[in-house]
Amino acid sequence: MRNITLVALGLVAAASACNAHASNCRAYSARLSYNGKLAIGESKHVTQWHSPCDGAINASAAKGRLTLLVQDGGVWREIKTGISTIFPRLPSGTYRLIVSNPYGIPTDYKVSLKYGTG
């Protein structure tokens, strides 16, 4: 009986260890591209997605400033703002990307994005 209990506990521990690694992203989106125009001081919602796994997010903007947000208890919380947003590992969650024009002239922007999908 003792051997069976130890084997069962060993299987539970092994299953837990496998599940801990199961949340790492093994698939990523294709490189996505978004284009548009921004007036002086204008911001636009570029895209929103849900990542079911822990993984990388890589976004950059030509002629614009990015803001990466995560949904936290029903509220959007800012993670980072800049011309690029690179995180080698972010937890699963729902994310939103905003592009803004902080420059003194209207601009055409181009945003590039890739993120974990599963």
Side-chain angles (χ1 to χ4, degrees), residues 49-69:
W49 70 95
H50 179 77
S51 181
C53 51
D54 295 354
I57 292 174
N58 181 335
S60 61
K63 299 183 180 179
R65 180 173 291 282
L66 295 175
T67 300
L68 179 64
L69 306 162

Side-chain angles (χ1 to χ4, degrees), residues 90-104:
L90 278 177
S92 64
T94 301
Y95 294 91
R96 181 179 279 180
L97 196 61
I98 306 292
V99 64
S100 60
N101 177 6
Y103 313 113

Side-chain angles (χ1 to χ4, degrees), residues 26-34 47 49 56-60 97 111-118:
R26 297 176 196 257
Y28 286 83
S29 68
R31 175 71 53 193
L32 305 169
S33 184
Y34 303 91
T47 190
W49 70 95
I57 292 174
N58 181 335
S60 61
L97 196 61
V111 173
S112 174
L113 172 66
K114 189 170 187 173
Y115 57 87
T117 60

Side-chain angles (χ1 to χ4, degrees), residues 46-86:
V46 176
T47 190
Q48 180 175 315
W49 70 95
H50 179 77
S51 181
C53 51
D54 295 354
I57 292 174
N58 181 335
S60 61
K63 299 183 180 179
R65 180 173 291 282
L66 295 175
T67 300
L68 179 64
L69 306 162
V70 64
Q71 194 171 43
D72 185 11
V75 175
W76 289 103
R77 183 176 52 86
E78 184 179 315
I79 296 175
K80 183 177 180 188
T81 297
I83 59 170
S84 67
T85 300
I86 300 171

Side-chain angles (χ1 to χ4, degrees), residues 33-37 44 46 108-111:
S33 184
Y34 303 91
N35 302 313
K37 296 180 182 290
K44 286 188 179 177
V46 176
D108 295 333
Y109 69 85
K110 181 174 182 176
V111 173

